[in-house]
Amino acid sequence: QVQLVESGGGSVQAGGSLRLSCVGSGRTFSPYWMRWFRQGPGKEREFVASITWFGGLASYGDSVKGRFTISRDNDKKTVYLQMNSLKPDDTAVYYCATAGRGSPLNTYDYRGQGTQVTVSS
């Protein structure tokens, strides 16, 4: 089994920054991809960012490109999401997730409980 625990969410004014963290654990924790998704109130789940666990190849959703940066620390089994220039539209619950090689961007195998990010104007 795999456990994922997110932290770092909170409330911030537009233009501010937050850094989310996600720690993985479990006997079978060995992801190919680590991903961040978000789901805002009344909205569908949205792909935010993805990174390969070995190699660090990253990709981003169009709405966050140039503002968010995904990174990982393999020794700490942690993936990060640095969020800059936040906008009210970024308000959502953010989830980290694992995914296998070749999996479509909007899919995952295991997901954490999520952390709330609220951006006020």
Side-chain angles (χ1 to χ4, degrees), residues 3 5 10 18-19 28 48-49 53 63 67 69 71 78 80-81 83 91-92 94 98 100 103 107-108 114-115:
Q3 292 83 40
V5 179
L18 284 173
R19 189 176 83 152
T28 58
V48 175
W53 194 242
S63 62
R67 300 188 298 123
T69 303
S71 61
T78 301
Y80 303 98
L81 186 67
M83 306 186 296
T91 295
Y94 284 71
T98 65
S103 57
T107 63
Y108 63 87
T115 185

Side-chain angles (χ1 to χ4, degrees), residues 40-97:
K43 297 181 180 179
E44 302 264 323
R45 184 180 73 220
E46 178 186 7
F47 166 76
V48 175
S50 190
I51 191 167
T52 53
W53 194 242
F54 299 103
L57 177 67
S59 60
Y60 298 91
D62 288 342
S63 62
V64 307
K65 279 180 184 175
R67 300 188 298 123
F68 290 11
T69 303
I70 189 171
S71 61
R72 89 275 186 238
D73 184 325
N74 294 49
D75 291 337
K76 295 182 179 179
K77 295 185 178 180
T78 301
V79 63
Y80 303 98
L81 186 67
Q82 177 66 45
M83 306 186 296
N84 298 330
S85 302
L86 283 161
K87 307 174 182 179
D89 280 351
D90 294 319
T91 295
V93 177
Y94 284 71
Y95 302 91
C96 74

